[in-house]
Amino acid sequence: MIIKNIESKIKLATLLSVGSLLAATIICIAVSFFAYRQVVNSRKSIYILDKDVPILAQQTNMEMNRPAEYRAAVDLFHSLFFSLTPDDEHIEYQMKKAMYLADESGVLQYNNLKEKGFFNSILSSSSVLTLQTDSILLEPDKKFTFYGKQKIERRSATITRSLITEGYLMDIPRSENNSHGVLITNWKTLENKDLSHVSKNTF
């Protein structure tokens, strides 16, 4: 009788040990799985400090955000190229930055304007040129069409011109001078004509 009791206690202890081992193994696997998922999910979010206040910023898929970057690159290039002040150093600085965003087609237009005395006329007339972007149309083949208005402020008049250009976009490695990693190619001006010419009182 005593022997049977001992055997049953040994069996019970064995079952409890095996059961505890299995339960511990299952718990460890479950904890590891949930911890892994937690790490993966946490990598999808980053925090930005705004005046010492952490703000959650969700990471987005690069391809989902690419159209916005294309528009930003096109807008930046046109702003650099067409928003100018009567300062030769400023014009040179703007053109230098713009040329990092376009291929030889941008250089060609710059040289054509330079040969025609466009930049000298800005200096001699003390003109201030500002560009307003109306819209940027993107097509599936990475072709873009830019629509905008350029205002030319002179001492004698304010001129508003319509500006329409087109070109193609090519993905390139990001750099300090091209943070969006977008190169404008085959760029050309389709329209650049006066919309209004308002004279100023000179007395």
Side-chain angles (χ1 to χ4, degrees):
M1 189 71 176
I2 296 174
I3 294 174
K4 286 184 179 181
N5 287 336
I6 294 174
E7 287 179 352
S8 61
K9 287 180 179 180
I10 292 174
K11 288 181 180 179
L12 180 60
T14 303
L15 288 174
L16 288 174
S17 299
V18 172
S20 298
L21 180 62
L22 288 174
T25 302
I26 293 171
I27 290 172
C28 287
I29 292 173
V31 168
S32 299
F33 174 75
F34 286 112
Y36 174 76
R37 287 189 61 182
Q38 186 82 11
V39 170
V40 170
N41 290 333
S42 67
R43 287 178 179 174
K44 294 179 181 178
S45 302
I46 57 176
Y47 287 87
I48 300 172
L49 285 178
D50 182 15
K51 297 180 181 178
D52 297 327
V53 178
I55 299 174
L56 180 64
Q58 295 291 336
Q59 290 181 335
T60 57
N61 184 282
M62 182 178 173
E63 291 302 319
M64 290 175 60
N65 195 45
R66 207 57 177 146
E69 288 197 283
Y70 288 151
R71 288 187 172 88
V74 171
D75 185 58
L76 176 60
F77 170 76
H78 285 79
S79 179
L80 289 170
F81 201 95
F82 292 104
S83 294
L84 304 170
T85 60
D87 182 327
D88 55 349
E89 290 185 1
H90 180 263
I91 291 173
E92 185 177 347
Y93 173 77
Q94 291 280 96
M95 292 301 113
K96 184 179 179 180
K97 289 192 70 175
M99 292 307 104
Y100 284 114
L101 308 178
D103 66 356
E104 64 274 7
S105 59
V107 178
L108 181 62
Q109 285 214 43
Y110 167 65
N111 289 334
N112 287 340
L113 290 173
K114 193 172 183 179
E115 289 175 5
K116 292 177 181 178
F118 174 72
F119 300 108
N120 286 333
S121 69
I122 294 175
L123 299 174
S124 61
S125 62
S126 298
S127 300
V128 177
L129 285 63
T130 54
L131 181 69
Q132 173 189 325
T133 301
D134 291 334
S135 63
I136 299 170
L137 177 64
L138 295 179
E139 299 182 21
D141 59 352
K142 294 186 180 179
K143 180 182 178 181
F144 75 86
T145 306
F146 174 91
Y147 299 89
K149 292 184 183 69
Q150 186 183 43
K151 182 179 286 187
I152 305 173
E153 291 282 354
R154 294 176 179 166
R155 288 190 297 264
S156 59
T158 299
I159 303 168
T160 303
R161 301 178 63 86
S162 68
L163 178 67
I164 303 175
T165 73
E166 71 174 17
Y168 290 85
L169 303 169
M170 183 172 70
D171 295 321
I172 61 173
R174 299 172 191 268
S175 68
E176 185 177 345
N177 295 310
N178 193 329
S179 58
H180 294 294
V182 179
L183 187 70
I184 293 173
T185 64
N186 300 319
W187 181 58
K188 59 184 178 182
T189 300
L190 302 179
E191 179 180 287
N192 189 8
K193 66 179 183 180
D194 289 357
L195 294 176
S196 66
H197 189 290
V198 181
S199 299
K200 296 180 179 179
N201 294 327
T202 56
F203 53 86

